[in-house]
Amino acid sequence: MTQPGSSTSHVRSKKTSSTPAGAQFPKNIESSEAPIIALVQNDDERMLATIGYKQELRRQFTKWTLVSYAISILGVLGSVPATFGIPIMAGGPATAVWAWFIGSCMAECIALSVAELVSAYPTAGGMYFVTKNVVPPEHVALWAWLIGWSNFLGQTAGVASVAYTVSQMVLATASMNSGLRDNLYSYTPNALQTVLLAILLLIIMGVICSLSSKMLNRIVVWFAPINVLASVGISIALLVLTPEKQSARWVFTHFTDGSGWGNKGFSFLLGFLSVAWTMTDYDGTTHMSEETHDAAKRGPLAIWVAVLISGLVGWMLTITFCFCMKDFDGIVASPTGLPAAQIFLNAGGRRGGAAMWFWVILVQFFTGCSAMLADTRMAYAFSRDDALPLSRYGDSVFHRGQCKFAEDIPEFGAESIHTHKHLSIRFG
């Protein structure tokens, strides 16, 4: 593995009488007498070249598309219902409400720090490349390797987990619309069905992520408006349609001990699992930096705006769900397996609940697509630094005609990391 942006694998230098000493040329650009400033088309490519990389991806994402992407990768309308049962069962409604509020505020603090780093180093490598510039030179290779692999594996696992939750939601809908016998639905999905559907969903996400940047720009720009507008609409519908609601005092002050440890404080800490799972991967926006203009400004803006909006929308949804839990025990023990799904069913009935639940599934699917986009760009950045198995093959595919389908190919390296016996890592 070479250091990210190192001259050994990405840039060439040529000193001539007309070229400044130490001028660097991006990979695959033949050396010439002209300085690098004549080899680039705009400020974004010039910045990328000074960092040590050649512009290869097309910059098709607009400012609003990037903001929409950042909001969609958090996907609160899909993520909050998927994880709502954890804080509710662990510590009650007040735990769900205040853990989300505190956790989203903490996430905004981290997002601001990440945004500052992105403004200085807007590359597809994200935090992996930033590491090169914030640790002592003698430790760069080791820490870049650790951060890079942690980021890549975490994102890959995140995509799989989102696909699994979408699968659960789809099958929960099927269960909701089946007959009810002895307080059990006639159809109950099993683990095999959930996994097989998740695999199918991953394939569909992969096909979508293989589209050109121009086409993705047209699609992704709608992710955030659908997410936010559907969240507001569903919150209003639930509050209007739910016949009996809990009091504000119960929602904001009722804590329980569901952890089994006899400690409400510990149960409250478990409530952070929901917001922690939702408020992740906002640094995924950094991996799209090489596909938008003025990335040093647009990337940071998209990150902090996305976390702020998602935090507010997520808090609104959490409070709404808690108000709609008049039958607390029945909702927690829902035969659908998801307390939020039962809330929708109680409010809208079979058809109305399924109609509202459709938007939750759609937004969560958007989240999976956005997460996969970030993962493929991370794989691309990691591959061009020779850090993935079969990096040379993955890198060559990326060069061929801007083929976006190829961007999913380096991810297959993740499947071999535990079994690859002859992987050699070069530090430095």
Side-chain angles (χ1 to χ4, degrees), residues 67-125:
V67 172
S68 180
Y69 171 84
I71 293 174
S72 69
I73 204 169
L74 298 176
V76 288
L77 180 57
S79 300
V80 173
T83 58
F84 179 69
I86 299 174
I88 278 293
M89 289 186 284
T95 290
V97 169
W98 295 115
W100 181 274
F101 178 79
I102 296 171
S104 58
C105 289
M106 292 179 175
E108 182 66 30
C109 294
I110 299 173
L112 291 172
S113 298
V114 172
E116 183 178 9
L117 293 171
V118 172
S119 69
Y121 311 106
T123 72

Side-chain angles (χ1 to χ4, degrees), residues 254-329:
H254 183 65
F255 295 90
T256 62
D257 175 25
S259 66
W261 289 85
N263 188 307
K264 290 185 178 181
F266 184 76
S267 297
F268 180 79
L269 293 178
L270 291 178
F272 284 98
L273 290 174
S274 176
V275 66
W277 189 80
T278 304
M279 290 293 194
T280 54
D281 211 17
Y282 41 83
D283 67 310
T285 307
T286 67
H287 301 300
M288 310 303 294
S289 295
E290 295 179 32
E291 294 177 72
T292 185
H293 292 287
D294 203 12
K297 293 182 179 179
R298 291 181 179 179
L301 174 67
I303 290 173
W304 76 262
V305 168
V307 174
L308 177 62
I309 293 176
S310 298
L312 293 173
V313 173
W315 201 38
M316 174 189 69
L317 288 169
T318 302
I319 293 173
T320 299
F321 293 165
C322 290
F323 270 112
C324 296
M325 294 190 71
K326 188 65 175 178
D327 181 15
F328 180 84
D329 293 333

Side-chain angles (χ1 to χ4, degrees), residues 190-208:
N190 56 45
L192 178 61
Q193 292 170 336
T194 306
V195 171
L196 290 177
L197 181 56
I199 293 172
L200 176 61
L201 289 167
L202 285 170
I203 294 173
I204 296 173
M205 291 176 188
V207 172
I208 294 174

Side-chain angles (χ1 to χ4, degrees), residues 77-78 81 162 165-174 201 205 234 344 354-368:
L77 180 57
V162 172
T165 59
V166 176
S167 177
Q168 286 181 311
M169 290 176 175
V170 171
L171 295 177
T173 305
L201 289 167
M205 291 176 188
I234 287 173
F344 281 52
M356 290 187 288
W357 195 247
F358 164 78
W359 295 103
V360 175
I361 296 173
L362 183 63
V363 169
Q364 190 72 336
F365 182 79
F366 289 165
T367 301

Side-chain angles (χ1 to χ4, degrees), residues 327-409:
D327 181 15
F328 180 84
D329 293 333
I331 290 173
V332 169
S334 171
T336 65
L338 292 172
Q342 190 63 45
I343 291 173
F344 281 52
L345 186 62
N346 292 348
R350 203 175 274 184
R351 291 186 179 180
M356 290 187 288
W357 195 247
F358 164 78
W359 295 103
V360 175
I361 296 173
L362 183 63
V363 169
Q364 190 72 336
F365 182 79
F366 289 165
T367 301
C369 292
S370 299
M372 184 174 283
L373 278 175
D375 200 15
T376 55
R377 272 54 176 182
M378 177 60 199
Y380 160 62
F382 223 23
S383 180
R384 70 182 173 185
D385 283 324
D386 301 323
L388 280 179
L390 305 177
S391 287
R392 180 174 299 181
Y393 172 72
D395 195 32
S396 65
V397 173
F398 277 98
H399 292 315
R400 211 167 352 190
Q402 298 284 342
C403 178
K404 297 303 174 185
F405 182 76
E407 292 178 2
D408 293 326
I409 292 178

